[in-house]
Amino acid sequence: METFEFVRALGERPSLNTATDCILVRNLSATLKYGIDAWGREKPQPILISVRLWLRSPFTSAADNDAVDGSTIHYGELSKAILNGIQEVNSHKSLGGPLDAMISLIGICERMGMEIQSGHEIEIFFPKGSLMGDSYAICNRRCYEPKGAQSTLRIKGLQVPTVIGVNEHEKVRKQIVVIDLDVPRQVNQSMINTGHRLEELVVKSVEENTFETLEKMAQFVVDRVRKFWAPLYANGQGIIYLKIEKPSAVAMADAVGVQIARNLALPEWGRKPPPQVPFPLKGTLEEFLGSIDQS
């Protein structure tokens, strides 16, 4: 399972049937005309598209007859429709961005056997979209019965050097921690620098501070995101998922780590909007936040 799928399967994923079939396309390659590069600039970028269409009922007749019939969805036609949709988005002078691509894919999924679907999950990955991570992605999950939808921004494999550990030898040298983050975001919010602002906030929060435990680091990062990023770019609902691993901590393990889930909203939301952390931020985040506290 992907990093957060197990958590979502326990509760947050659209309330489909307990046992349900799905049709999937994973990592379909395409190019987006106005993708977002690792520095937050609009440029043509490679993207990987993954789609899951959840069915209302098992595809029993397709299995019994060994044929693609009305109980299932043709994944070849789905793949062609996705690529045609991206090509159409790129052909418009005013379109070609991540949001345009996601809106197009949502429409395609809803037209592909809508009468037998119970929901969908769409992910657009930008494999070259992060300076310090494996990739970042925008995601849309939608349930048709009962109706519900959520858009999220996901950063995977963010590698940050920091001082972390309870042992004396860990307190004198930095080591790499690997961070995965899944955060709700406004569906109509421009993607320009949205994910890069989040990455910058997380990276600087971790590398500029010292911690003894991963538990403290995880809560510290989540609190920073909820206070300085979420009020500006999220819709005030949903759950933040964060996983932090230490690959160097235990010699015989690939990594050890923690994973947490927290409500997005903070009690002080609505009183006063938080300051927007500049992107790119010159200097340290701690200096910037200190200047705000003094003003």
Side-chain angles (χ1 to χ4, degrees), residues 52-257:
R52 294 184 181 185
L53 303 182
W54 301 92
L55 305 182
R56 299 176 189 269
S57 304
F59 42 63
T60 305
S61 63
D64 289 344
N65 299 319
D66 198 12
V68 179
D69 63 10
S71 69
T72 188
I73 295 171
H74 196 302
Y75 52 76
E77 293 181 359
L78 175 60
S79 300
K80 290 178 182 178
I82 291 171
L83 292 177
N84 289 337
I86 297 299
Q87 186 176 5
E88 183 178 352
V89 167
N90 286 336
S91 67
H92 290 277
K93 292 183 179 180
S94 59
L95 301 178
L99 249 179
D100 305 314
M102 178 60 76
I103 292 171
S104 176
L105 293 179
I106 290 173
I108 289 169
C109 289
E110 291 179 345
R111 293 192 296 270
M112 295 291 295
M114 181 67 175
E115 67 280 359
I116 65 171
Q117 282 191 58
S118 58
H120 70 239
E121 183 170 6
I122 304 169
E123 297 178 318
I124 304 178
F125 283 89
F126 295 82
K128 301 294 185 180
S130 171
L131 279 176
M132 302 183 70
D134 292 337
S135 67
Y136 85 87
I138 56 173
C139 315
N140 179 271
R141 295 190 296 275
R142 186 162 298 193
C143 184
Y144 304 140
E145 291 182 6
K147 291 183 178 181
Q150 184 180 56
S151 294
T152 61
L153 191 151
R154 183 173 302 163
I155 298 177
K156 300 181 68 174
L158 196 59
Q159 299 188 44
V160 187
T162 189
V163 174
I164 171 72
V166 297
N167 300 308
E168 290 303 316
H169 64 271
E170 293 182 297
K171 297 178 181 179
V172 295
R173 294 183 64 187
K174 290 186 176 183
Q175 60 180 298
I176 294 293
V177 294
V178 182
I179 301 172
D180 287 355
L181 188 67
D182 196 311
V183 185
R185 58 176 296 277
Q186 292 180 13
V187 70
N188 61 344
Q189 174 68 49
S190 170
M191 278 301 299
I192 305 302
N193 295 338
T194 304
H196 299 82
R197 289 180 182 276
L198 177 61
E199 178 175 322
E200 179 183 72
L201 178 64
V202 172
V203 168
K204 287 185 174 291
S205 294
V206 171
E207 69 181 3
E208 294 176 6
N209 292 278
T210 62
F211 308 88
E212 291 200 351
T213 65
L214 289 174
E215 288 82 355
K216 173 64 176 180
M217 179 188 290
Q219 188 62 58
F220 183 80
V221 170
V222 166
D223 287 344
R224 281 282 177 89
V225 172
R226 293 196 294 182
K227 184 174 182 179
F228 295 108
W229 186 88
L232 300 172
Y233 300 105
N235 56 15
Q237 298 178 349
I239 305 294
I240 298 176
Y241 296 103
L242 175 72
K243 185 182 77 169
I244 305 180
E245 292 184 341
K246 287 173 64 178
S248 304
V250 177
M252 303 303 289
D254 287 344
V256 297

